[in-house]
Amino acid sequence: MKTIKDFNFKGKKALVRVDFNVPLDADFNVTDTTRLKAAKPTIIKILEDGGSAVLMSHLGRPKGVEDKFSLRHIVKTTSEILGVEVKFIAATVGAEAEAAVAALEPGEVLLLENLRFFAEETKGDLAFSEQLSKLGDVYVNDAFGTAHRAHASTTIVAQFFEDKLAGLVIEAELVNADKVLKGGVKPVTAIMGGAKVSDKILIIEKLLDVADNIIIGGGMSYTFAKAEGGSIGGSLCQDDLLEYVLELEAKAKAKGVNLIFPVDNFLGDAFSNDANTQIVLRGQIPDGWEGFDIGPKSIEKFSEIIKNSKTVIWNGPMGVFEIPLYATGTIEIAKAVKDATEGGAFSLIGGGDSAAAINNLGFGDDVSYVSTGGGALLEYMEGKTLPGIAALQA
Ligand code: AMP
């Protein structure tokens, strides 16, 4: 796969698929600029080479043209972050867009209107893709978050270009995921959490080949506890997977991978910040109570393993971290990952909620890499081919 580092954009117009799907408040202010900042190095490299950049993105899930999803709302913030005036055109394809691109000078940036104003985008429509391809001499994809979708702008459009390149975000995402997938420095510890076992089955299966330790916390851990004969009260459980998780435990044992479970659980009698609480040993949750976090002994045990690891991958919170009462486990595990990183370990935080958790808790700068792609990272780690990546290699 060629990246933009292998290319000189002098005199070229680069059609760049960025991920500007940012959250907006009621007054259309951007409330999280992470994705805009992430796209900056790729755009600046194009401009510094003497090229110009035509940016295309989706925003939200509009049904046809809906002004509240117009990308014009983010023009000011994007200009400030890039340090370059971003020109905006209220067209995505067609004569008007083509004229705006033709008028673009080296060093200039043009943002097109929301791709998803056209149903053709998510359908991966060939004619729409061909129209998009008229808006640049070279194609760059830097939207890792949508690389697992075969949409017009992320995948289909690539076939119309001789030069199709990965941007720096996509390159960094793959390089960092490969640091774990292609055999990280040992010991390798995976921390898995979140609500459901079913969401994580494929990735856990994959991790069995590369990890020394797999820590299982969060809501998903209670299915294992119940399968082992424990009492879990009203905690989350996927009863259809009780047999499967025991098979998974046996598979891990056969491969010499340590599956590590909480030793205790922090219980609440309600999904709220002023619930009554108690701490009990794993598998001893009384009726009327739910496990909403890992307990102190688990924190101690998990932290010790994490701090002694040289590679750490984390996906999914240890408890209901959105409620402060149940956030302790996730915060303490974040601290352990931070300590491991400071001690020289490589740490990768991936998958939507985990990235949000680590950023909201203020640990985003204390780990090696926080992935920008939720579903895309998971699919990549599961070993699936991402259409957006494959299109750059074709
Ligand atoms: P995921 O998207 O699979 O990473 O799951 C994240 C969600 O799992 C968060 O919204 C957490 O609140 C939720 N979660 C984590 N642990 C628990 C638990 N013990 N009980 C209920 N929900 C949980």
Side-chain angles (χ1 to χ4, degrees):
M1 185 178 67
K2 269 171 82 178
T3 78
I4 61 163
K5 287 181 187 154
D6 308 315
F7 195 83
N8 189 331
F9 289 88
K10 190 169 174 25
K12 301 280 186 194
K13 289 175 176 160
L15 178 64
V16 190
R17 177 49 157 107
V18 286
D19 182 358
F20 283 177
N21 183 29
V22 290
L24 301 176
D25 65 17
D27 298 321
F28 300 109
N29 297 306
V30 180
T31 54
D32 181 351
T33 56
T34 311
R35 286 174 169 165
L36 303 180
K37 287 182 184 149
K40 182 173 178 176
T42 290
I43 297 165
I44 296 299
K45 144 84 177 154
I46 293 167
L47 303 184
E48 284 184 348
D49 274 1
S52 53
V54 180
L55 309 180
M56 55 178 175
S57 178
H58 76 284
L59 176 65
R61 294 183 172 190
K63 294 183 178 67
V65 179
E66 284 187 72
D67 185 65
K68 66 176 175 175
F69 294 114
S70 171
L71 280 166
R72 76 181 164 79
H73 301 304
I74 72 159
V75 170
K76 190 166 158 279
T77 309
T78 310
S79 298
E80 283 162 10
I81 286 172
L82 295 182
V84 177
E85 184 212 341
V86 173
K87 295 169 187 281
F88 174 74
I89 177 155
T92 310
V93 288
E96 208 185 324
E98 286 170 32
V101 170
L104 210 57
E105 298 284 341
E108 292 187 332
V109 178
L110 174 72
L111 176 63
L112 302 170
E113 184 54 289
N114 194 340
L115 288 156
R116 290 201 191 162
F117 281 180
F118 292 82
E120 289 90 339
E121 161 64 0
T122 49
K123 284 185 191 147
D125 183 81
L126 194 65
F128 180 71
S129 304
E130 190 172 13
Q131 277 189 298
L132 283 174
S133 75
K134 293 184 179 151
L135 305 175
D137 314 312
V138 33
Y139 171 66
V140 175
N141 188 355
D142 211 20
F144 184 71
T146 48
H148 59 317
R149 308 271 182 233
H151 293 170
S153 68
T154 63
T155 302
I156 313 300
V157 71
Q159 64 194 272
F160 296 102
F161 288 89
E162 197 159 317
D163 295 308
K164 34 198 163 185
L165 311 159
L168 301 175
V169 173
I170 287 199
E171 185 189 24
E173 290 281 347
L174 300 184
V175 164
N176 284 302
D178 284 349
K179 279 187 192 164
V180 180
L181 281 182
K182 304 221 160 120
V185 182
K186 286 177 165 290
V188 177
T189 297
I191 310 162
M192 305 302 289
K196 288 182 172 176
V197 184
S198 53
D199 290 345
K200 312 285 161 87
I201 286 176
L202 292 172
I203 189 163
I204 294 177
E205 295 263 359
K206 196 82 188 164
L207 287 168
L208 286 177
D209 292 328
V210 292
D212 301 294
N213 308 304
I214 303 181
I215 291 172
I216 301 205
M220 64 186 282
S221 69
Y222 302 102
T223 302
F224 289 84
K226 184 169 176 184
E228 290 172 32
S231 306
I232 61 164
S235 308
L236 278 187
C237 184
Q238 287 184 282
D239 283 320
D240 53 328
L241 293 177
L242 291 173
E243 223 168 281
Y244 168 78
V245 297
L246 292 180
E247 283 165 25
L248 194 66
E249 289 187 21
K251 220 186 266 183
K253 199 166 177 198
K255 290 197 174 191
V257 178
N258 304 313
L259 273 196
I260 301 148
F261 296 101
V263 275
D264 53 359
N265 296 117
F266 187 88
L267 316 183
D269 62 357
F271 194 83
S272 89
N273 207 38
D274 43 31
N276 296 305
T277 65
Q278 61 168 318
I279 294 161
V280 300
L281 291 178
R282 176 175 188 246
Q284 299 185 12
I285 303 180
D287 286 345
W289 293 81
E290 274 184 63
F292 285 125
D293 197 3
I294 53 174
K297 289 201 180 78
S298 311
I299 291 174
E300 210 175 300
K301 181 179 174 186
F302 292 178
S303 298
E304 195 61 27
I305 294 164
I306 293 163
K307 285 179 199 166
N308 287 321
S309 303
K310 286 279 165 249
T311 304
V312 178
I313 171 164
W314 184 5
N315 183 290
M318 294 293 99
V320 183
F321 74 99
E322 300 93 332
I323 297 178
L325 184 64
Y326 305 128
T328 312
T330 303
I331 293 172
E332 292 303 319
I333 294 312
K335 284 185 190 160
V337 176
K338 174 186 171 174
D339 288 347
T341 314
E342 279 171 0
F346 170 76
S347 55
L348 170 66
I349 315 300
D353 268 334
S354 318
I358 206 99
N359 284 328
N360 293 346
L361 298 172
F363 291 100
D365 293 332
D366 300 322
V367 296
S368 308
Y369 191 73
V370 181
S371 173
T372 57
L377 181 76
L378 285 184
E379 289 197 17
Y380 185 70
M381 300 211 68
E382 287 166 4
K384 291 187 185 143
T385 302
L386 305 185
I389 306 297
L392 297 176
Q393 292 161 332

